[in-house]
Amino acid sequence: MKGVAITGMGIISAIGRNSEETHTGLKKAISGIGLPEILATNHKDLPVGEIKLSNAELSELLHLPEGHCYTRAALLGACAISDLLKNTGYGEFPEETGFISGTSVGGIDLTEEHFYDYIDDPGTRRFIPAQHPGFTTEKIAEYFKISGLVTTISTACSSSANAIALGARMIRSGRLKRVIVGGTDCLTKFTINGFNSLKILSQSECRPFDNHREGLNLGEAAAYILLEAEDCINDKPVLGRITGYGNANDAYHQTASSETGEGAYLAITKAIAKAGISSTEIDYINAHGTGTINNDQSESVALKRIFGEWLPEFSSTKAYTGHTLGAAGAVEAVFSLMALQNDEIYPNLNFETEMQETGLRPVEILQKKVLKTVLSNSFGFGGNCTALIFQRDGL
Amino acid sequence: MGCKIYINGISNISPQTDSVFEDQAPLEYETNILPSLKQDYKSFIKPMMLRRMSSAVKMGIFCAKQALLEAEVTMPDAILVGTGQGCLQDTEKFLVNMLNTNEGLLSPTSFIQSTHNTVAGQIALDLKCQAYNMTFSQNAASFESALIDALLQIEEKEVKNILVGGVDEISPQFTGFQKLNAQIKDENLNNLDLFESNTPGTIVSETAAFFSLSSVKRATSYARLIDVQVLNILEPSDLTRRIERFLEKNEIAEVDLVILGKNGDNRYDRYYDEIQQGIFSDKCQLGYKNLVGDNNSVSSYALWLASKILKEKKIPEIFMLNALTCNKPEKILIYNQYLGRNHGLILLETCDF
């Protein structure tokens, strides 16, 4: 089946401020993980994938007036979409462009900063509505003058993957001609303390799929892609096509994944069926691979159940960017598109020893390979599992 | 669109009992933050589980199960939840602990339950439902967004039964902040006087309403959902044109009544004035926020009300905003916005056609 065309992408993460820098970082295997310098946390010893630009610097890049109330996630989102816009040839987005954004915590960064100020300092009260995910999405929409269909998906770490799938369905149904899809999440004290209380943060750089992995590193990023209906493409280059998407719920535990990887298995199976391909046609898997004991075990089992002995090359790119929560699915969609365009597989950094339970070995150094079909996984709290399939244009 | 999607089961929890529909006197409140009425949660949720659950999760599971029960669906093919503010209570608990201990040792329980998809996830867990599961969190357009996903699912012909709901809870400090930026009225008032208040802000509440939707019509179906649209920003002067275009697209020449999200905020009720005095001036107009308050997913209550009206073919007087009534309600338009943003249109009709 001819999938939905992707005609633009944009990204900002710990490995680069735009698509070009990001691609260079991926190829050179440069990790963006380091200690927090901008996030005002006491956990200065916990490594994170931080974008080394303050809110003031981001605001300047975006030419925002002083006294604005953009959340950090909105600032990052606007940067990523500016990058996207630059690469599409549109001066601004045509009227009736839709916008579907994924985020997990939205603007909680402003709530945690101003929680005790609201009562006494009326000047801070403009941040009160910023907490809720829709606010961040609206700010980004406002920046690009998008006034029609604007919505937010918040399914924890699968948020932006679900935004991409929903956008593709909107185009297919004819409801939209053009839609920006993806997600944004910034580092916050709320999330770093939350994941820390769950004892799943690694004290060192994360090591996805390694037998001695100790947990994840949080990261921050925003990434978006532009989807367009066939009659809008004209002679624009098509970066790739979304041909498959699958969403399922693990229905096992609020935060932990089942040992059998049921949710992941179902999501991937649905995505493959939707794309109308066989699992053997998948050339590369960008795994969710957070580096936690639980996720990587569960995901490995799901992959083995689907691919058996014929598991294609796979890697997790979380050791580059950290786990960017609601943005992760979109970040990895951009990485998957870069992989497809350049026939490259980006390595799973910090890997040494195969997991005892499954013995899977990810790609460890940059690999050149002709790629036609890429699978990208995103799983989250609440049992939410999503898989996306991207294929080269013109297959 | 042409797809057929039926409402086969409905359930809601709000600051009012369902008997307001039977012309019983409504409950009156003198505060501006209205909690939902307590339910017999134990009848649907194990007491052990119940203790740890926030209002949103309790209300969500309870309404979900009631709606499914009425539609005689044991396992839905999709679970869709709209919640603008998500699990506020657990978010507040974790955040306050974190700030008060200056990032000290924290229990993960409230963090675990703080994510916006907790309600949809807990429903899935309760039903052991591994199907498609989605949470929308777009302020006042959250529930409408979930409905659009439901329409897409039915169009794609991949599912038969869909559980969809809207839920929002209140929490002490976070909801209280809404008093500081004029979202909640300064002065306390009786909820029944909301529409005459002529001051900024509104009264807020916690509510949930869930629906069992299906591609299959039953003898007991409530209504047929025709179409849903969300628009992020528009000027009051542009509203009529957008509504006309929406009705035209669905080949609906006229609706019989409109349900409006009027909330007594004198800065933004002009959106409703525009159509009350304009295209819908000769139609029966209903309001509901003077009874159940306002919140990000309260338009799900409006859908509950529309479903009841279409099935029972009666319009309780307490909801009427004007003197016009309608003997044969067949087509209903629901319109809602909050602070001039997140405009939602829901169009539905009787199943009798």
Side-chain angles (χ1 to χ4, degrees):
Chain A
M1 189 194 321
K2 197 173 182 180
V4 175
I6 300 161
T7 55
M9 60 181 178
I11 188 168
I12 181 167
S13 78
I15 60 167
R17 296 175 189 191
N18 54 44
S19 313
E20 212 182 307
E21 283 183 29
T22 301
H23 184 226
T24 308
L26 283 172
K27 273 203 323 199
K28 293 191 173 162
I30 301 166
S31 165
I33 307 291
L35 295 177
E37 293 165 15
I38 290 164
L39 179 69
T41 177
N42 294 336
H43 297 292
K44 291 288 181 208
D45 52 341
L46 285 172
V48 290
E50 188 174 59
I51 296 166
K52 300 298 180 193
L53 288 166
S54 68
N55 287 5
E57 288 167 320
L58 289 165
S59 304
E60 209 179 301
L61 286 175
L62 294 164
H63 309 291
L64 287 173
E66 268 182 48
H68 69 70
C69 54
Y70 280 59
T71 60
R72 184 164 171 87
L75 295 171
L76 298 178
C79 284
I81 297 178
S82 298
D83 179 39
L84 182 158
L85 191 58
K86 211 173 76 192
N87 298 331
T88 52
Y90 282 123
E92 55 182 48
F93 293 107
E95 211 193 325
E96 304 288 307
T97 299
F99 182 40
I100 307 173
S101 188
T103 185
S104 64
V105 289
I108 199 96
D109 55 321
L110 292 175
T111 310
E112 66 192 23
E113 188 181 342
H114 299 292
F115 188 81
Y116 291 116
D117 304 333
Y118 291 147
I119 302 270
D120 299 324
D121 180 3
T124 61
R125 291 179 187 166
R126 67 183 192 279
F127 302 121
I128 288 175
Q131 179 178 331
H132 310 297
F135 180 91
T136 288
T137 308
E138 282 168 26
K139 279 287 150 197
I140 301 170
E142 202 176 287
Y143 189 81
F144 296 100
K145 301 189 181 68
I146 295 164
S147 61
L149 184 133
V150 172
T151 195
T152 305
I153 288 174
S154 195
T155 52
C157 309
S158 63
S159 301
S160 56
N162 280 329
I164 291 171
L166 181 66
R169 290 167 56 217
M170 292 261 194
I171 298 280
R172 273 201 170 143
S173 77
R175 272 183 178 260
L176 288 175
K177 287 280 188 199
R178 184 178 297 104
V179 60
I180 305 160
V181 292
T184 179
D185 254 322
C186 67
L187 287 168
T188 67
K189 290 201 289 186
F190 187 85
T191 39
I192 204 166
N193 281 281
F195 282 91
N196 195 41
S197 74
L198 282 165
K199 301 189 169 45
I200 52 174
L201 290 181
S202 179
Q203 307 289 323
S204 52
E205 288 187 24
C206 69
R207 309 162 74 174
F209 295 106
D210 191 280
N211 199 43
H212 305 296
R213 66 194 181 284
E214 290 171 330
L216 60 85
N217 307 133
L218 282 181
E220 61 184 352
Y224 291 89
I225 60 178
L226 182 67
L227 308 181
E228 292 191 274
E230 291 305 307
D231 56 348
C232 298
I233 302 171
N234 302 322
D235 51 358
K236 267 174 273 174
V238 174
L239 309 178
R241 287 180 179 270
I242 303 173
T243 56
Y245 32 81
N247 168 312
N249 196 289
D250 204 30
Y252 170 76
H253 184 269
Q254 173 60 17
T255 52
S257 304
S258 61
E259 271 178 40
T260 53
E262 196 60 26
Y265 172 85
L266 288 170
I268 297 168
T269 307
K270 280 188 192 176
I272 290 172
K274 188 82 200 173
I277 58 171
S278 128
S279 63
T280 55
E281 290 176 64
I282 290 170
D283 302 308
Y284 162 62
I285 303 167
N286 186 303
H288 187 55
T290 58
T292 64
I293 300 285
N294 177 237
N295 174 80
D296 295 4
Q297 185 274 336
S298 176
E299 186 173 10
S300 299
V301 170
L303 292 178
K304 287 195 91 160
R305 283 174 67 190
I306 290 159
F307 296 96
E309 295 306 305
W310 301 99
L311 183 65
E313 277 92 346
F314 76 99
S315 65
S316 159
T317 45
K318 294 288 195 294
Y320 281 94
T321 58
H323 185 2
T324 59
L325 304 181
V331 166
E332 287 155 36
V334 167
F335 292 177
S336 298
L337 289 168
M338 288 175 175
L340 276 175
Q341 291 216 295
N342 301 290
D343 288 324
E344 295 164 344
I345 296 177
Y346 309 112
N348 189 112
L349 308 178
N350 309 327
F351 180 85
E352 276 173 20
T353 320
E354 291 156 7
M355 275 167 55
Q356 215 173 4
E357 303 94 320
T358 51
L360 300 184
R361 200 161 188 95
V363 171
E364 291 167 76
I365 50 165
L366 182 79
Q367 192 175 317
K368 286 297 257 185
K369 180 188 174 185
V370 175
L371 298 178
K372 289 180 179 163
T373 305
V374 175
L375 166 71
S376 175
N377 293 338
S378 298
F379 314 131
F381 278 11
N384 280 123
C385 298
T386 297
L388 300 173
I389 292 175
F390 299 96
Q391 292 189 287
R392 168 177 296 207
D393 183 40
L395 279 188
Chain B
M1 296 288 125
C3 72
K4 302 273 186 193
I5 179 162
Y6 299 97
I7 301 174
N8 291 349
I10 67 173
S11 172
N12 90 88
I13 297 174
S14 80
Q16 299 290 342
T17 68
D18 289 2
S19 62
V20 281
F21 194 83
E22 317 303 334
D23 295 318
Q24 296 236 357
L27 294 168
E28 295 181 41
Y29 297 86
E30 302 290 337
T31 56
N32 294 347
I33 298 175
L34 283 49
S36 61
L37 296 175
K38 296 260 178 305
Q39 308 293 320
D40 179 22
Y41 289 115
K42 286 199 297 294
S43 60
F44 280 112
I45 308 167
K46 289 192 197 99
M48 253 257 296
M49 306 284 288
L50 207 49
R51 268 202 306 275
R52 268 181 285 165
M53 285 179 181
S54 66
S55 306
V57 176
K58 270 192 277 205
M59 294 193 296
I61 294 180
F62 186 87
C63 287
K65 287 187 150 187
Q66 274 200 326
L68 291 172
L69 194 66
E70 186 181 21
E72 296 182 88
V73 171
T74 44
M75 192 60 82
D77 305 310
I79 297 174
L80 314 172
V81 172
T83 177
Q85 304 195 336
C87 291
L88 273 193
Q89 296 173 0
D90 279 301
T91 305
E92 181 168 315
K93 237 184 260 175
F94 190 78
L95 189 91
V96 168
N97 274 339
M98 178 187 90
L99 294 175
N100 288 349
T101 60
N102 195 17
E103 302 183 73
L105 265 183
L106 299 163
S107 150
T109 313
S110 48
F111 178 70
I112 286 170
Q113 298 175 150
S114 73
T115 57
H116 285 74
N117 61 342
T118 304
V119 178
Q122 288 290 322
I123 294 171
L125 207 50
D126 188 290
L127 299 174
K128 298 267 166 284
C129 178
Q130 295 183 316
Y132 184 95
N133 190 291
M134 193 67 96
T135 301
F136 292 89
S137 196
Q138 183 52 46
N139 292 334
S142 304
F143 176 64
E144 284 82 349
S145 299
L147 285 178
I148 291 173
D149 194 350
L151 290 169
L152 282 176
Q153 303 253 353
I154 296 285
E155 275 170 39
E156 290 159 357
K157 296 191 173 43
E158 285 180 3
V159 302
K160 193 172 137 193
N161 294 303
I162 298 175
L163 175 71
V164 60
V167 56
D168 265 296
E169 66 182 11
I170 53 180
S171 76
Q173 307 221 52
F174 286 158
T175 308
F177 288 155
Q178 294 180 198
K179 278 185 183 165
L180 300 174
N181 71 339
Q183 293 188 70
I184 299 177
K185 286 187 187 296
D186 266 340
E187 72 288 0
N188 275 346
L189 81 171
N190 181 298
N191 56 300
L192 298 183
D193 299 330
L194 184 69
F195 298 144
E196 285 78 47
S197 54
N198 197 26
T199 50
T202 185
I203 54 175
V204 305
S205 63
E206 53 184 6
T207 61
F210 276 69
F211 305 85
S212 186
L213 306 180
S214 179
S215 55
V216 180
K217 182 175 156 181
R218 290 162 60 93
T220 51
S221 292
Y222 283 85
R224 180 190 158 222
L225 184 64
I226 301 174
D227 200 7
V228 181
Q229 189 174 22
V230 300
L231 291 162
N232 191 244
I233 324 177
L234 58 88
E235 288 301 317
S237 56
D238 205 24
L239 182 58
T240 302
R241 190 177 63 90
R242 299 308 297 237
I243 290 176
E244 282 172 346
R245 215 200 277 176
F246 176 68
L247 295 177
E248 237 165 66
K249 185 185 121 204
N250 289 290
E251 294 168 356
I252 301 286
E254 253 185 304
V255 296
D256 302 306
L257 73 92
V258 286
I259 302 181
L260 303 173
K262 209 174 165 76
N263 71 354
D265 186 327
N266 66 357
R267 299 165 301 174
Y268 298 98
D269 270 353
R270 59 202 162 99
Y271 281 95
Y272 305 106
D273 298 341
E274 176 77 24
I275 53 176
Q276 282 184 280
Q277 290 152 21
I279 43 167
F280 298 127
S281 62
D282 61 343
K283 302 289 175 210
C284 173
Q285 305 165 356
L286 307 186
Y288 54 96
K289 291 184 181 171
N290 56 338
L291 300 171
V292 298
D294 201 353
N295 63 57
N296 278 173
S297 57
V298 76
S299 53
S300 59
Y301 184 85
L303 184 62
W304 176 87
L305 177 62
S307 304
K308 288 282 275 187
I309 290 172
L310 289 173
K311 184 171 176 176
E312 300 188 14
K313 301 185 183 6
K314 66 170 228 180
I315 304 162
E317 218 182 298
I318 184 78
F319 294 100
M320 290 185 184
L321 291 173
N322 59 357
L324 295 167
T325 186
C326 162
N327 297 326
K328 239 178 108 192
E330 289 180 337
K331 290 184 171 65
I332 297 182
L333 179 72
I334 298 169
Y335 167 63
N336 184 55
Q337 58 79 25
Y338 186 62
L339 302 180
R341 286 209 183 234
N342 295 300
H343 304 262
L345 295 167
I346 305 173
L347 183 62
L348 66 168
E349 69 177 4
T350 169
C351 295
D352 299 346
F353 294 136

